[in-house]
């Protein structure tokens, strides 16, 4: 990322927008990431992505084994614009592909389950990067996901109903983890380089005719 190009493009934003971008990027994290396996109700997937944006989760991973993810713009409310959405749909077993990719990046994989005899979300270790897996609306996570996860976690419940709606589950988990990241003084923030890169991405999505402006600047200011 060329510093001069970033500063040039960033200057096209209003001061209010600059302050907003800077505030949000300082609360963004890749320390926690979310994985959605084979959701088939698009309003649920869109609601989860909206929660990810609200709680500062930058990366979302979507596994498409049988069901294709489709955005519901009325529920998404533009949140996807600010996130990195990674899809896994080209392999024979996309669940394995996604889990292996995240493990190679240093993530510990936690699969969510309604069963109460596993780790409650308030006891999840947060010292290392974690990926939290959420499954389909009716059957939950696949056997493959459960077998290849490093641990199983649950949301404590005290009523008759066995589980929460998937979008509610994700919101509850992210609210808990987001609060703990800050309360436990964990180094969850993006690196300086990651922040600059993300600010540039957001700027390019916001400034009108941004690509034409960028190309003109690069032509006039070659390395």
């Amino acid at each position: 990322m060329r510093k001069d190009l970033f500063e040039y493009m960033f200057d096209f934003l209003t001061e209010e927008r600059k302050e907003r971008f800077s505030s949000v990027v300082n609360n963004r994290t890749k320390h926690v990431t979310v994985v959605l396996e084979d959701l088939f109700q698009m309003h649920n997937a869109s609601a989860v992505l909206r929660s990810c944006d609200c709680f500062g989760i930058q990366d979302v991973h979507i596994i498409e084994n049988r069901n294709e993810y489709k955005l519901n713009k009325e529920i998404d409310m533009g949140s996807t614009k600010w996130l990195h959405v990674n899809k896994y749909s080209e392999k024979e077993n996309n669940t394995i592909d996604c889990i292996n990719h995240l493990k190679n990046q240093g993530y510990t994989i936690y699969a969510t389950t309604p069963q109460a005899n596993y780790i409650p979300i308030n006891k999840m270790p947060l010292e290392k990067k974690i990926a939290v897996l959420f499954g389909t609306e009716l059957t939950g996570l696949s056997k493959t996901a459960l077998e290849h996860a490093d641990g199983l976690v649950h949301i404590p419940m005290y009523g008759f109903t066995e589980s929460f709606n998937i979008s509610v589950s994700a919101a509850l988990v992210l609210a808990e983890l987001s609060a703990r990241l800050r309360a436990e003084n964990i180094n969850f923030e993006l690196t300086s380089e990651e922040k600059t890169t993300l600010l540039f991405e957001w700027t390019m999505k916001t400034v009108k005719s941004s690509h034409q402006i960028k190309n003109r600047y690069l032509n006039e200011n070659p390395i």
Side-chain angles (χ1 to χ4, degrees):
M1 168 58 61
R2 284 178 54 175
K3 183 179 178 181
D4 62 320
L5 174 61
F6 165 69
E7 292 176 346
Y8 179 75
M9 294 301 304
F10 198 60
D11 203 42
F12 279 87
L13 301 176
T14 65
E15 290 303 316
E16 181 180 6
R17 177 64 72 163
K18 289 179 184 178
E19 291 177 6
R20 179 61 173 162
F21 276 13
S22 297
S23 174
V24 172
V25 82
N26 285 331
N27 280 290
R28 275 301 205 247
T29 189
K30 294 187 177 185
H31 194 83
V32 174
T33 192
V34 167
V35 181
L36 304 178
E37 185 191 43
D38 240 13
L39 300 194
F40 62 85
Q41 295 181 354
M42 65 178 182
H43 64 275
N44 280 335
S46 297
V48 174
L49 266 63
R50 183 174 175 180
S51 293
C52 287
D53 177 48
C54 289
F55 289 112
I57 308 300
Q58 183 58 38
D59 295 340
V60 182
H61 303 266
I62 296 178
I63 298 169
E64 298 177 336
N65 287 326
R66 296 180 303 275
N67 304 310
E68 180 183 357
Y69 166 72
K70 295 181 180 179
L71 176 68
N72 185 320
K73 293 184 178 180
E74 293 183 0
I75 295 176
D76 172 80
M77 296 295 288
S79 60
T80 307
K81 177 179 180 180
W82 313 112
L83 304 175
H84 293 156
V85 179
N86 308 279
K87 292 186 179 182
Y88 302 79
S89 60
E90 298 179 354
K91 298 291 181 67
E92 182 177 349
N93 193 319
N94 297 301
T95 297
I96 293 293
D97 184 35
C98 177
I99 290 175
N100 286 342
H101 173 74
L102 290 169
K103 286 187 175 183
N104 288 337
Q105 289 189 328
Y107 284 93
T108 301
I109 312 298
Y110 287 99
T112 54
T113 173
Q115 300 178 40
N117 55 329
Y118 293 104
I119 304 171
I121 57 173
N122 63 329
K123 300 296 184 182
M124 291 174 64
L126 291 181
E127 292 78 15
K128 298 180 180 179
K129 298 192 297 184
I130 65 170
V132 187
L133 278 61
F134 298 90
T136 62
E137 293 83 353
L138 294 177
T139 59
L141 287 164
S142 67
K143 182 179 180 181
T144 299
L146 295 171
E147 289 178 345
H148 286 80
D150 298 304
L152 303 180
V153 296
H154 79 280
I155 303 170
M157 293 179 290
Y158 309 100
F160 293 107
T161 307
E162 185 179 271
S163 63
F164 292 102
N165 172 280
I166 177 62
S167 60
V168 174
S169 293
L172 290 171
V173 169
L174 294 180
E176 174 70 24
L177 297 182
S178 177
R180 286 185 55 205
L181 286 177
R182 291 158 176 80
E184 298 175 17
N185 295 317
I186 293 170
N187 183 20
F188 68 88
E189 292 188 21
L190 304 177
T191 65
S192 296
E193 183 177 351
E194 288 173 332
K195 288 181 181 180
T196 300
T197 300
L198 192 53
L199 285 172
F200 182 75
E201 289 179 15
W202 292 346
T203 299
M204 293 296 290
K205 292 177 180 179
T206 304
V207 173
K208 186 176 181 180
S209 302
S210 60
H211 289 283
Q212 290 92 325
I213 295 171
K214 181 195 74 171
N215 291 335
R216 184 171 65 246
Y217 178 83
L218 291 175
N219 288 333
E220 295 174 354
N221 299 272
I223 296 176

